[in-house]
């Protein structure tokens, strides 16, 4: 997905890449990519620029040689790959070879692409559970252990495999670490305690990472015993960084990549590397030091993240905080390693379990690529200059990810530094080298060719605003680590005005100065930009928890286009206008209070939260159909799920909610909101076209502000 962005003088553009996106199909399952296997010879590449064989290569001299579309180097065609050309100069096997006819495909990699020239082992999943007093007391540990007994049967596997090749291991921790031996020939699991958390080591190799099917009875025994083992604990202090260190060392010893599933709930204050203090200082808001709140508190976490990436160790973090936990520090390793951060504030077993368990289930079952490295190549005339995402970069070209899944996107900015040919266009090849869940080293290749034009008006006509806002959000959220928030906000407003002023000056028909002229493809840019400016990350207000801002920042950095679009401008559906005889879903309406009505019922979703808002005059038959109660006064707002009722209205509304949910990586907890009651304040924050309670401008006010800036630029 691509977009252009232009300033008054220079031109650059960006691409939002989803390296392991699942390809949709007509049936229930996604279509697997074609896999090309050239045996020991390996993938065919250009001798000069190392681009992989793709539809942009031009075959010449009767098919014996080919000219690279990226650097124009002429290469010999390997004898095994030779094929004659037809009357238009195309190979006769063009449509039989995925690498010549498709935009995306995979190669089986050879030993040259493996660490130490050895085939990789299948990855491992290590489950690391915080067994401190609060987690035991709340029933969380018991809930996790019960769920894992079911989930371990659903570990991802290749299509042709009967069972998963992924091995599993288990660690519990508070101030010390407990490793468990769950070897299949044991009658009972064995616990080994590591109390030296300053220099963590793995106390056992044999029996720690096991095949679940073989060790099922021992593993299930362990999961039954863990809640009882720590039932009488009074330990409330925890460690955190040594937990990640221990997981990484275990994967390193087993010579495999993998994922750590860490279930954690408090600020790590125990004496250990990575120990943190509470630094949630509201006095720093709107000062030059505010940026420190988004930076890790100690350097240890950056070093740890780098080591994890180097060893293919991805960190997934499930957080259950009831106070400040310093997400800017704890979440850093998760972000750099391509992991996912989940957060459940003030977790309550009854109301929050469905959301957490659905997230856990989806994450465990998710197809993932491990120990990944990505490189983006272009033809001459432009080049990739900046990368944004849940990634780590040790140099300027290689994007490293300990793991990558279908919900992670990398946004790439390209600089146009030479003349581009309008005939050949702008070519981009994204190559991702990774280890599959069965332990096979593979290369996933994506190719795209873009049209070029010397006319600025064409650039504006084809601009993709949804992708544009993805880029601006990520670049702004990266910038706040080094610049004051006020400066970042001013830059965003200025860039918006410059793009629109450039259009008005060079592309639009002459018109009155008082008139605001927007390109057709960018009509919604100001409303999106205003939503970004009002996001909690860019609004420094004491009412907004620092952890919440750091959490949102991290989520957005990994999001794709569809997710940022919904996150910044929520979907608002008037479900009171449902046609029960049709499968059609009501069209979304504008997120503004003036679009609500006292007799209406609306669903609002932004990818993290979902609301069902009911007006005070909602018809009784609608209330009966949804809640099985007689009137508005009887509706309970405590529920986080709608009841299962055997009527068309209930089934249709639940189906709409499930459809919205199915397309998003995070499970949205439902909040039922009644008009004129206290929780409505939270709901109103999502009506993004209105003035924010935290001081953000309404859409109309922002338009006036941008128009004023445009007029100043043009003058």
């Amino acid at each position: 997905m691509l977009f252009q962005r232009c300033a008054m003088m220079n031109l650059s553009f960006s691409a939002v890449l989803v390296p392991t996106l699942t390809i949709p199909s007509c049936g229930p399952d996604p279509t697997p990519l074609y896999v090309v296997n050239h045996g020991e010879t390996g993938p065919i590449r250009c001798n000069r620029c190392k681009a992989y064989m793709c539809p942009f290569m031009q075959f010449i001299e009767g098919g014996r040689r080919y000219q690279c579309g990226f650097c124009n180097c002429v290469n010999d065609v390997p004898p095994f790959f030779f094929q004659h050309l037809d009357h238009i100069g195309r190979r006769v096997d063009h449509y039989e070879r995925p690498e010549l006819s498709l935009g995306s495909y995979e190669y089986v990699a050879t030993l040259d692409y493996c660490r130490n020239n050895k085939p990789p082992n299948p990855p491992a999943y290590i489950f690391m559970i915080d067994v401190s007093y609060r987690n035991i007391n709340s029933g969380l540990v018991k809930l996790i252990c019960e769920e894992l007994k079911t989930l371990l049967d659903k570990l991802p596997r290749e299509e042709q495999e009967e069972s998963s090749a992924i091995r599993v291991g288990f660690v519990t921790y508070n101030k010390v670490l407990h490793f468990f031996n769950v070897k299949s020939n044991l009658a009972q699991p064995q616990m080994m305690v590591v109390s030296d958390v300053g220099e963590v080591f793995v106390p056992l190799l044999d029996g720690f990472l096991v095949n679940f099917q073989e060790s099922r009875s021992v593993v299930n025994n362990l999961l039954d015993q863990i809640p009882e083992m720590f039932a009488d604990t009074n330990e409330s202090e925890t460690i955190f960084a040594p937990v990640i260190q221990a997981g990484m060392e275990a994967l390193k010893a087993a010579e495999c990549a993998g994922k750590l599933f860490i279930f954690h709930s408090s600020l790590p204050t125990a004496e250990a590397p990575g120990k943190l203090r509470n630094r949630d200082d509201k006095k720093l808001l709107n000062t030059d030091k505010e940026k420190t709140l988004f930076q890790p508190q100690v350097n240890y976490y950056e070093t740890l993240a780098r080591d994890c990436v180097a060893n293919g160790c991805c960190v997934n973090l499930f957080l259950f905080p009831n106070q400040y936990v310093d997400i800017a520090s704890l979440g850093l390793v998760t972000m750099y390693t391509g992991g996912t951060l989940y957060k459940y504030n003030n977790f309550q077993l009854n109301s929050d379990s469905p959301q957490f368990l659905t997230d856990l289930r989806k994450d465990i079952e998710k197809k993932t690529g491990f120990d990944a490295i990505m490189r983006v190549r272009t033809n001459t005339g432009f080049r990739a200059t900046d990368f944004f995402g849940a990634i780590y970069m040790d140099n300027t070209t290689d994007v490293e990810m300990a793991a990558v899944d279908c919900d992670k996107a990398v946004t790439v900015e390209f600089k146009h530094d030479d003349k581009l040919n309008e005939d050949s266009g702008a070519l981009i090849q994204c190559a991702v080298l990774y280890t599959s869940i069965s332990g096979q080293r593979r290369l996933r290749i994506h190719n795209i060719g873009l049209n070029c034009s010397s006319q600025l008006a064409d650039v504006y006509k084809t601009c993709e605003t949804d992708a544009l806002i993805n880029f601006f959000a990520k670049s702004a959220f990266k910038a706040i680590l080094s610049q004051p928030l006020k400066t970042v906000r001013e830059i965003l407003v200025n860039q918006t005005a410059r793009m629109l002023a450039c259009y008005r000056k060079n592309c639009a028909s002459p018109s009155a100065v008082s008139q605001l002229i927007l390109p057709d493809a960018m009509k919604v840019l100001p409303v999106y930009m205003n939503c970004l400016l009002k996001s909690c990350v860019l609004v420094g207000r004491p009412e907004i928890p620092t952890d919440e801002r750091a959490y949102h920042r991290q989520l957005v950095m990994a999001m794709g286009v569809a997710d940022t679009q919904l996150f910044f401008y929520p979907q608002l559906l008037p479900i009171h206008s449902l046609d029960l005889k049709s499968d059609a879903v009501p069209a979304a309406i504008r997120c503004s209070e003036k679009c609500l009505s006292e007799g209406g019922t609306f669903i609002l979703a932004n990818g993290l939260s979902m609301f069902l808002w009911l007006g005070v005059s909602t018809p009784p038959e609608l209330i009966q159909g949804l809640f099985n109660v007689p009137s508005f006064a009887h509706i309970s707002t405590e529920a986080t799920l709608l009841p299962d009722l055997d009527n068309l209205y209930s089934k249709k509304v639940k189906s709409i909610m499930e459809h919205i949910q199915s397309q998003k990586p995070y499970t949205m907890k439902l909040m039922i909101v009644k008009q004129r009651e206290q929780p409505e304040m939270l709901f109103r924050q999502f009506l993004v076209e209105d003035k924010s309670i935290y001081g953000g401008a309404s859409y109309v006010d922002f338009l006036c502000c941008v128009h004023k800036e445009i007029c100043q630029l043009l003058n």
Side-chain angles (χ1 to χ4, degrees):
M1 287 163 277
L2 289 112
F3 69 84
Q4 296 81 13
R5 85 181 160 93
C6 67
M8 294 289 270
M9 298 302 291
N10 67 337
L11 200 65
S12 64
F13 70 95
S14 305
V16 184
L17 309 171
V18 188
T20 55
L21 183 71
T22 43
I23 312 297
S25 67
C26 302
D29 297 316
T31 308
L33 288 181
Y34 284 96
V35 180
V36 180
N37 190 347
H38 289 323
E40 289 181 15
T41 313
I44 300 168
R45 307 178 71 176
C46 169
N47 291 328
R48 185 193 290 161
C49 71
K50 303 301 179 190
Y52 293 90
M53 180 56 68
C54 68
F56 303 138
M57 305 305 190
Q58 182 68 47
F59 289 88
I60 55 176
E61 296 180 23
R64 290 188 300 279
R65 306 182 90 187
Y66 69 92
Q67 185 172 21
C68 174
F70 295 91
C71 70
N72 297 322
C73 174
V74 174
N75 300 268
D76 291 328
V77 172
F80 80 90
F81 196 70
F82 172 78
Q83 188 53 270
H84 294 286
L85 307 184
D86 62 16
H87 64 289
I88 57 168
R90 189 164 56 192
R91 286 172 57 119
V92 296
D93 64 349
H94 177 84
Y95 291 108
E96 292 159 31
R97 289 195 176 272
E99 70 271 41
L100 300 183
S101 56
L102 297 176
S104 299
Y105 44 87
E106 289 200 324
Y107 280 115
V108 174
T110 54
L111 289 178
D112 306 350
Y113 293 88
C114 304
R115 284 180 192 265
N116 308 319
N117 285 15
K118 281 168 57 182
N121 291 316
Y125 284 2
I126 303 176
F127 299 92
M128 314 184 89
I129 305 170
D130 168 1
V131 288
S132 57
Y133 171 78
R134 211 181 109 232
N135 285 3
I136 291 288
N137 203 39
S138 69
L140 177 63
V141 172
K142 191 172 195 312
L143 179 73
I144 293 166
C145 292
E146 283 300 316
E147 187 64 18
L148 285 179
K149 287 193 283 188
T150 313
L151 280 185
L152 294 175
D153 269 322
K154 296 176 181 172
L155 291 170
R157 56 186 172 82
E158 296 287 4
E159 315 292 329
Q160 67 277 11
E161 302 289 338
E162 280 185 28
S163 62
S164 175
I166 293 170
R167 289 174 296 162
V168 294
F170 302 89
V171 173
T172 56
Y173 67 94
N174 37 50
K175 278 171 81 169
V176 296
L177 292 148
H178 322 104
F179 285 77
F180 294 94
N181 183 346
V182 284
K183 202 171 178 181
S184 58
N185 59 3
L186 293 175
Q188 284 288 327
Q190 296 171 348
M191 180 167 85
M192 298 187 181
V193 179
V194 175
S195 51
D196 181 2
V197 291
E199 290 290 332
V200 173
F201 66 96
V202 183
L204 76 156
L205 293 180
D206 189 30
F208 177 61
L209 293 177
V210 297
N211 178 298
F212 175 64
Q213 303 301 340
E214 292 170 8
S215 295
R216 178 189 293 274
S217 61
V218 194
V219 169
N220 284 344
N221 253 345
L222 171 66
L223 294 171
D224 285 335
Q225 289 173 28
I226 285 174
E228 295 165 18
M229 242 183 255
F230 301 98
D232 299 325
T233 186
N234 290 315
E235 189 55 76
S236 57
E237 280 197 319
T238 59
I239 54 174
F240 183 74
V243 179
I244 297 175
Q245 183 80 38
M248 182 189 73
E249 295 294 346
L251 294 174
K252 194 171 164 184
E255 297 184 342
C256 69
K259 231 188 230 191
L260 311 183
F261 290 80
I262 303 179
F263 306 92
H264 188 83
S265 68
S266 58
L267 191 71
T269 54
E271 207 51 57
K275 173 186 174 180
L276 300 174
R277 60 181 172 78
N278 188 332
R279 53 157 182 171
D280 189 13
D281 187 355
K282 303 290 184 194
K283 291 198 287 293
L284 299 182
L285 299 181
N286 299 307
T287 71
D288 282 356
K289 289 187 175 176
E290 185 171 5
K291 57 179 175 278
T292 60
L293 297 175
F294 296 102
Q295 298 164 355
Q297 191 178 137
V298 290
N299 293 336
Y300 190 85
Y301 286 96
E302 286 208 43
T303 309
L304 184 57
R306 188 175 63 238
D307 291 346
C308 282
V309 173
N311 290 287
C313 171
C314 169
V315 179
N316 268 9
L317 180 55
F318 293 81
L319 273 177
F320 306 87
N322 62 0
Q323 54 193 17
Y324 178 75
V325 291
D326 198 348
I327 284 173
S329 298
L330 300 191
L332 188 81
V333 187
T334 301
M335 186 161 86
Y336 276 176
T337 60
T340 308
L341 173 61
Y342 301 90
K343 183 162 76 78
Y344 312 92
N345 292 341
N346 303 310
F347 183 83
Q348 300 294 317
L349 206 63
N350 294 335
S351 57
D352 297 315
S353 295
Q355 182 192 11
F356 159 56
L357 295 179
T358 308
D359 281 337
L360 178 59
R361 203 169 298 134
K362 276 162 73 174
D363 207 304
I364 286 179
E365 293 175 15
K366 199 183 282 183
K367 285 273 184 80
T368 304
F370 293 90
D371 200 9
I373 188 161
M374 180 178 100
R375 187 171 279 197
V376 176
R377 293 181 173 84
T378 60
N379 59 339
T380 48
F382 73 112
R383 61 198 166 85
T385 55
D386 217 345
F387 298 82
F388 309 90
I391 54 173
Y392 175 77
M393 293 187 76
D394 206 21
N395 55 45
T396 56
T397 54
D398 294 323
V399 175
E400 297 178 65
M401 296 165 281
V404 59
D405 61 54
C406 60
D407 296 320
K408 302 291 186 300
V410 180
T411 302
V412 187
E413 182 174 16
F414 297 92
K415 281 282 172 11
H416 173 218
D417 54 11
D418 203 350
K419 191 171 173 59
L420 281 164
N421 188 317
E422 285 194 49
D423 296 328
S424 57
L427 308 181
I428 300 172
Q429 183 178 85
C430 166
V432 188
L433 174 65
Y434 73 95
T435 300
S436 73
I437 47 177
S438 62
Q440 188 179 51
R441 205 72 175 138
R442 286 188 179 180
L443 277 153
R444 180 167 288 201
I445 313 293
H446 300 292
N447 307 287
I448 190 168
L450 304 170
N451 292 331
C452 293
S453 173
S454 55
Q455 301 302 312
L456 192 58
D458 291 337
V459 175
Y460 278 100
K461 259 182 216 163
T462 55
C463 175
E464 292 192 22
T465 308
D466 297 341
L468 189 59
I469 211 68
N470 179 284
F471 168 78
F472 275 125
K474 289 184 181 181
S475 57
F477 286 7
K478 184 178 180 180
I480 63 171
L481 295 177
S482 55
Q483 292 176 282
L485 259 75
K486 185 171 181 285
T487 307
V488 174
R489 290 195 295 264
E490 285 169 358
I491 289 169
L492 287 172
V493 174
N494 185 257
Q495 285 180 318
T496 307
R498 286 172 75 86
M499 282 189 289
L500 299 175
C502 180
Y503 175 78
R504 175 154 188 162
K505 182 179 177 182
N506 300 295
C507 310
S509 308
S511 57
V513 180
S514 59
Q515 201 174 339
L516 177 63
I517 309 289
L518 299 174
D520 284 344
M522 297 173 78
K523 291 273 192 229
V524 293
L525 176 66
V527 74
Y528 271 141
M529 194 59 85
N530 191 37
C531 294
L532 170 57
L533 287 163
K534 290 198 289 188
S535 69
C536 74
V537 180
L538 294 183
V539 174
R541 293 283 296 216
E543 304 94 328
I544 307 172
T546 306
D547 270 346
E548 195 67 15
R549 298 172 70 198
Y551 173 60
H552 282 202
R553 179 185 171 270
Q554 180 162 333
L555 297 191
V556 170
M557 290 305 287
M559 280 182 182
V561 171
D563 291 335
T564 46
Q565 179 193 21
L566 187 68
F567 181 73
F568 289 113
Y569 195 101
Q571 189 174 26
L572 184 61
L573 301 176
I575 57 165
H576 54 272
S577 58
L578 265 177
D579 180 356
L580 297 180
K581 294 173 187 166
S582 154
D583 287 337
V585 174
I589 59 172
R590 294 174 72 156
C591 280
S592 172
E593 186 180 356
K594 63 175 180 251
C595 294
L596 303 177
S597 58
E598 291 192 353
T601 305
F602 299 82
I603 292 174
L604 184 144
N606 79 332
L608 285 187
S609 308
M610 187 181 284
F611 296 88
L612 181 63
W613 183 91
L614 299 115
V616 287
S617 305
T618 302
E621 60 272 19
L622 198 153
I623 292 170
Q624 185 72 43
L626 279 180
F627 298 97
N628 202 24
V629 295
S631 71
F632 184 80
H634 289 83
I635 298 170
S636 165
T637 54
E638 298 298 308
T640 56
L641 295 169
L642 286 179
D644 283 315
L645 301 174
D646 190 15
N647 68 69
L648 265 178
Y649 205 89
S650 176
K651 286 177 181 173
K652 190 82 192 276
V653 170
K654 291 193 84 165
S655 165
I656 290 170
M657 288 179 170
E658 282 162 16
H659 177 69
I660 295 170
Q661 181 59 73
S662 68
Q663 300 172 312
K664 297 294 138 202
Y666 293 89
T667 307
M668 292 178 263
K669 179 179 168 183
L670 178 66
M671 189 167 176
I672 294 162
V673 176
K674 293 160 78 173
Q675 188 180 11
R676 297 179 194 154
E677 291 194 6
Q678 183 57 35
E680 198 184 19
M681 290 293 287
L682 181 60
F683 170 79
R684 285 183 186 278
Q685 291 175 39
F686 294 88
L687 299 176
V688 289
E689 289 201 24
D690 300 338
K691 188 169 181 173
S692 164
I693 57 167
Y694 298 126
S698 71
Y699 172 46
V700 174
D701 289 345
F702 181 69
L703 270 184
C704 295
C705 167
V706 169
H707 188 210
K708 194 172 158 189
E709 288 261 340
I710 292 168
C711 293
Q712 285 176 348
L713 286 167
L714 292 173
N715 290 336

